[in-house]
Amino acid sequence: MFSDIDTPSLIVDIEKVKRNLKSMADYTKASQCNLRPHVKTHKIPELAKLQLEYGATGITCAKLSEAEVMADAGISDIFIAYPVVGAKKIERVVNLASRIRLIVGVDSEEGALALSEAAQKEGITLEVRMEIDIGLKRTGVPYEKAVSFGKWLNGLPGISLTGIYAYRGLISKNDGADGGDLSGRQEGEELYQVAKRLRDGGIDIRDVSGGSTPTGRYVAKVKGITEIRPGTYIFNDMMQVKNKTVSIEDCAASVLVTVVSTPCDEYAVIDGGSKAFSTDVPLKTAPYFFDGYGSIVGNDDLVFKTLYEEHGIVVSRSGKTGLKPGDRLLIIPNHICPTVNLYNHVYFFEEHQKLRKVNVEARGKLY
């Protein structure tokens, strides 16, 4: 299995990627909603361009440095869905906004004033969207203050408030988490209400943006939502399988590992540890209750139970793994986004079973 490449390596099935892209693009088009995918999942300009080919109107980034990589690759419509704070970053924002259509997230007076001052100094207008906290308790203007903050933000010179956005994950008002339907509808409805109140106040809110991979299809159906920002859907992972957002057959990325030691029948050691797999999703904890750090393709008896830096421990539900040194396994990660960030390059598995090495150009972009 992929004997001509070393391990651990991240393998991307491009036919599955294309199928995933088409499915989401078709759905958003049918819902008369724009698609602006979040590229933090893959961090690869070639895949961002493929998303645009499949109907995306632009892309979303988490960090300014990701946006710079994508702009350097020729992508000209980028939303940074993250507060840009600090003089150095704002200087870079102004420079980037002179090259492309750049939209910047804002959720504080301090951040907004700094952007306004920089824009006035350069004689430009910066396009911004106000982030609203609708339940996740992360970034965002508190929901009850969103309208008053938006009215204040709209009056700043050098700033053009064109939209609002939010991210709430799978949090719903009823039971804390769900498969995407209830939380998605609530997210969309709450965003629409803020947009309506701002418009009633004379503010031209054109973009109302929400949704993630599990919630995006439901957010897109809500009246007044103009855009969704799913990211994981391009690859999918075991979190999405557990959410019942997708099936395991829709997972396009997996880590190829080699069995390096079998001290006894009960367990085997692989060369993929915490440097090869994300560990941000705890085991045996709500809402996923994972029993391992990924799903071993084609063998439900094996459990990827333990991670060290360089070692992974695979055990058997039935008692004996049946593995020997040199065996190779494909493992679908629980969370693909931070897993991709561990790799300098991935391998695209393309037509005629060809492998092509591709750099993860926006990997490790922290600032």
Side-chain angles (χ1 to χ4, degrees):
M1 184 187 298
F2 305 127
S3 59
D4 53 341
I5 61 173
D6 214 338
T7 59
S9 287
L10 188 60
I11 311 295
V12 175
D13 187 322
I14 293 299
E15 289 308 307
K16 288 186 177 182
V17 163
K18 290 178 179 179
R19 189 172 71 207
N20 293 340
L21 297 187
K22 185 178 186 305
S23 175
M24 186 65 75
D26 287 348
Y27 191 89
T28 53
K29 184 178 180 181
S31 301
Q32 297 183 315
C33 186
N34 290 329
L35 175 63
R36 184 182 288 273
H38 210 312
V39 301
K40 71 182 179 68
T41 297
H42 57 77
K43 306 170 181 69
I44 299 172
E46 181 178 340
L47 291 181
K49 290 179 179 179
L50 190 61
Q51 289 173 307
L52 293 171
E53 289 178 20
Y54 273 81
T57 56
I59 64 169
T60 304
C61 293
K63 294 296 180 75
L64 175 57
S65 49
E66 288 179 346
E68 289 168 333
V69 169
M70 296 297 163
D72 288 344
I75 295 173
S76 59
D77 192 331
I78 301 176
F79 171 36
I80 301 176
Y82 196 91
V84 178
V85 176
K88 291 286 188 182
K89 288 186 176 67
I90 291 174
E91 180 182 351
R92 289 161 52 206
V93 159
V94 170
N95 289 336
L96 188 56
S98 69
R99 297 199 280 143
I100 65 169
R101 182 200 180 194
L102 182 69
I103 313 164
V104 182
V106 175
D107 78 341
S108 70
E109 290 188 7
E110 293 83 357
L113 287 168
L115 288 169
S116 173
E117 181 181 348
Q120 291 178 80
K121 183 178 178 180
E122 294 298 320
I124 64 171
T125 299
L126 288 173
E127 184 176 352
V128 303
R129 291 179 180 176
M130 175 176 61
E131 182 176 11
I132 304 169
D133 177 16
I134 53 175
L136 190 60
K137 301 300 180 185
R138 198 169 65 177
T139 49
V141 177
Y143 186 78
E144 63 275 10
K145 298 180 180 179
V147 174
S148 60
F149 185 86
K151 291 178 178 177
W152 171 82
L153 181 61
N154 189 59
L156 287 182
I159 294 293
S160 176
L161 175 60
T162 61
I164 60 174
Y165 75 104
Y167 173 78
R168 77 184 296 160
L170 287 174
I171 298 171
S172 71
K173 288 182 177 178
N174 286 10
D175 58 5
D178 68 85
D181 188 344
L182 180 60
S183 55
R185 285 188 285 112
Q186 288 177 354
E187 177 180 334
E189 288 162 3
E190 290 175 19
L191 274 171
Y192 172 70
Q193 288 303 318
V194 173
K196 183 178 184 300
R197 290 165 65 191
L198 288 169
R199 288 168 181 150
D200 289 344
I203 301 173
D204 184 19
I205 297 297
R206 300 193 296 272
D207 300 313
V208 183
S209 176
S212 57
T213 294
T215 65
R217 294 173 187 263
Y218 305 106
V219 174
K221 292 191 291 186
V222 176
K223 173 187 174 183
I225 296 298
T226 66
E227 176 186 283
I228 60 170
R229 308 184 317 277
T232 308
Y233 81 102
I234 188 171
F235 291 156
N236 292 313
D237 55 21
M238 291 310 299
M239 287 201 302
Q240 302 309 319
V241 174
K242 281 277 191 176
N243 290 337
K244 298 183 180 179
T245 306
V246 299
S247 71
I248 199 165
E249 287 76 22
D250 299 313
C251 293
S254 54
V255 178
L256 179 69
V257 298
T258 300
V259 176
V260 295
S261 179
T262 52
C264 61
D265 290 340
E266 287 73 27
Y267 74 90
V269 183
I270 59 174
D271 60 358
S274 62
K275 293 179 179 178
F277 291 88
S278 167
T279 60
D280 65 320
V281 183
L283 303 187
K284 303 184 186 302
T285 303
Y288 302 107
F289 296 101
F290 285 124
D291 58 1
Y293 288 97
S295 177
I296 297 173
V297 176
N299 195 328
D300 293 336
D301 180 60
L302 298 178
V303 180
F304 185 14
K305 183 180 181 181
T306 307
L307 281 177
Y308 301 93
E309 283 187 72
E310 312 291 354
H311 306 73
I313 306 300
V314 174
V315 300
S316 167
R317 301 181 198 276
S318 61
K320 295 184 179 181
T321 68
L323 298 172
K324 62 183 183 302
D327 286 346
R328 289 193 161 194
L329 304 172
L330 280 170
I331 303 177
I332 300 170
N334 291 342
H335 193 184
I336 190 60
C337 306
T339 297
V340 173
N341 199 49
L342 299 171
Y343 291 84
N344 290 323
H345 58 263
V346 302
Y347 289 92
F348 284 3
F349 183 55
E350 300 178 311
E351 290 182 308
H352 310 299
Q353 298 189 332
K354 290 183 178 179
L355 285 173
R356 177 164 61 93
K357 187 176 179 179
V358 178
N359 290 334
V360 184
E361 293 183 37
R363 182 234 170 170
K365 300 300 181 182
L366 301 177
Y367 51 85

